[in-house]
């Protein structure tokens, strides 16, 4: 299926690896010009170069990169100084640490809310009016299945991402929708990325079990009996950014291999 977005410009945050890279790759494969952002310049440049080598010639897409911390005002200003307008924005940054809520102080909460709620809101604010003027726009926020089914050790994520979800529910249904701008959240369950490896390594240290034993036990809790991969996540993101997805708006799209146990 031709997604109808070749030649558009996308900002994909947190895209040197993991889910963000999956989204950047899927968009470049569709001929979308992509600006990739992450803090670590070396990995970012390597990932951008790989996308250029693999897809730029065949699709005509341009790939730019900007090594910045997207959760800071200075980082976002540097990105918009390189390119002020985007037709597609995928918001994403590292998730907050796991832990016990009794150990978190105000500063921990401010950091989580800043990274996982206020940064996406700021990126939406900076881009949607331009999208509306041009009559087309797609925002996809990478959040987490923890928004639908909270995970006790991820209280910072459960809380901050729920704040973003509530905001998006309102703004997606504002006048922007009639001007061709959709805003959706994409909720990963367990995907095979460095983030999940770090979480499993932390659990292995705590419990004395091996990482592989813990990963196996985790897979058994998922009806698909496997972790997701970044290519399938990127493909869902690209579809949400497509022309065909223009009537999908204000939704929380769960990709978790069936792990969420609810009927609705
Ligand atoms: P990952 O493999 O660790 O990749 C994170 C990416 O974001 C990297 O490119 C990283 O590069 C970049 N990044 C992190 N903080 C950033 C910042 N402040 N500014 C700019 N770039 C930043 O993680 P992932 O698994 O793809 O997860 C992505 C998001 O989905 C996270 O919020 C995570 O909590 C959430 N999530 C993941 C899963 C899963 O199973 N993987 C499940 C639920 C939710 P630098 O470190 O160089 O900046």
């Amino acid at each position: 299926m031709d997604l109808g977005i070749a030649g558009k410009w996308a900002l994909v945050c947190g895209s040197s690896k993991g889910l963000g890279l999956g989204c950047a790759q899927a968009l470049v494969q569709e001929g979308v010009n992509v600006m990739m952002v992450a803090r670590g310049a070396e990995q970012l440049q390597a990932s951008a170069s790989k996308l250029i080598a693999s897809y730029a010639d065949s699709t005509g897409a341009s790939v730019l990169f900007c090594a910045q911390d997207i959760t800071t005002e200075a980082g976002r200003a540097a990105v918009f100084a390189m390119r002020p307008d985007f037709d597609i924005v995928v918001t994403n940054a590292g998730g907050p640490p796991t832990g016990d809520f009794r150990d978190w102080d105000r500063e921990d909460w401010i950091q989580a809310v800043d990274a996982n709620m206020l940064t996406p809101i700021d990126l939406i604010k900076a881009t949607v009016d331009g999208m509306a003027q041009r009559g087309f726009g797609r925002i996809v926020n990478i959040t987490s299945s923890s928004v639908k089914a909270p995970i006790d050790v991820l209280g910072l994520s459960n809380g901050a991402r729920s704040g973003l979800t509530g905001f998006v529910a309102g703004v997606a249904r504002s006048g922007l929708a009639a001007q061709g701008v959709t805003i959706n959240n994409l909720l990963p369950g367990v995907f095979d990325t460095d983030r999940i490896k770090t979480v499993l390594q932390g659990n292995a240290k705590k419990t004395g079990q091996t990482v592989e034993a813990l990963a196996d036990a985790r897979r058994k809790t998922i009806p698909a009996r496997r972790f997701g991969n970044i290519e399938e996540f990127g493909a869902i993101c690209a579809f949400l950014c497509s022309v065909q997805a223009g009537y999908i708006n204000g939704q929380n799209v769960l990709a978790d291999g069936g792990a969420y146990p609810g009927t609705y």
Side-chain angles (χ1 to χ4, degrees), residues 103-114 156:
D103 300 326
W104 297 326
D105 58 23
R106 182 176 166 74
E107 197 41 45
D108 296 316
W109 275 106
I110 297 289
Q111 266 181 32
V113 168
D114 217 8
L156 290 168

Side-chain angles (χ1 to χ4, degrees), residues 13-21 37-41 43-44 47 66-72 91-96 115-116 119 142-146 151 154 157 161 186-198 218 227-228 230 233:
C13 305
S15 53
S16 64
K17 60 179 183 169
L19 302 176
L21 176 59
V37 182
R39 293 163 303 180
Q43 170 86 54
L44 182 63
S47 296
C66 186
Q68 292 291 336
D69 183 340
I70 199 67
T71 67
T72 65
T91 76
N92 179 38
N116 298 110
T119 293
I142 300 180
T143 64
S144 171
S145 62
S146 71
I151 302 165
L154 281 173
S157 170
R161 295 190 202 274
L186 183 47
L187 285 55
V190 186
F191 278 79
D192 196 4
T193 68
D194 284 356
R195 161 93 175 158
I196 199 68
K197 285 185 192 107
T198 309
R218 192 71 195 269
F227 297 162
I230 66 167
F233 189 85

Side-chain angles (χ1 to χ4, degrees), residues 61-264:
S62 302
V63 178
L64 303 179
F65 59 91
C66 186
Q68 292 291 336
D69 183 340
I70 199 67
T71 67
T72 65
E73 268 182 41
R76 293 190 289 277
V79 168
F80 289 115
M82 272 183 81
R83 199 184 156 86
D85 292 321
F86 294 96
D87 311 297
I88 293 166
V89 176
V90 179
T91 76
N92 179 38
T98 56
D100 186 314
F101 74 93
R102 294 169 189 83
D103 300 326
W104 297 326
D105 58 23
R106 182 176 166 74
E107 197 41 45
D108 296 316
W109 275 106
I110 297 289
Q111 266 181 32
V113 168
D114 217 8
N116 298 110
M117 178 183 171
L118 300 182
T119 293
I121 290 174
D122 202 61
L123 291 166
I124 290 168
K125 183 176 156 189
T127 54
V128 285
D129 289 334
M131 293 175 180
Q133 273 167 20
R134 295 187 296 276
F136 178 92
R138 299 285 183 263
I139 304 274
V140 176
N141 302 299
I142 300 180
T143 64
S144 171
S145 62
S146 71
V147 170
K148 274 180 90 86
I151 302 165
D152 62 349
V153 294
L154 281 173
L156 290 168
S157 170
N158 302 337
R161 295 190 202 274
S162 293
L164 173 65
T165 305
F167 169 77
V168 165
V171 75
R173 293 168 175 85
S174 70
L176 292 163
Q179 294 171 284
V181 180
T182 68
I183 310 180
N184 292 291
N185 303 317
L186 183 47
L187 285 55
V190 186
F191 278 79
D192 196 4
T193 68
D194 284 356
R195 161 93 175 158
I196 199 68
K197 285 185 192 107
T198 309
V199 171
L200 288 172
Q201 279 159 3
N203 290 348
K205 251 192 205 159
K206 236 191 270 168
T207 60
Q209 296 183 64
T210 64
V211 168
E212 208 30 60
L214 288 167
D216 276 346
R218 192 71 195 269
R219 284 187 200 99
K220 288 192 180 114
T221 67
I222 303 168
R225 296 287 184 267
R226 66 177 178 87
F227 297 162
N229 61 63
I230 66 167
E231 287 77 16
E232 56 197 349
F233 189 85
I236 303 168
C237 176
F239 182 72
L240 288 175
C241 296
S242 71
V243 167
Q244 291 88 341
Y247 212 48
I248 302 176
N249 185 35
Q251 299 304 303
N252 289 289
V253 177
L254 188 58
D256 70 347
Y260 175 68
T263 305
Y264 301 107

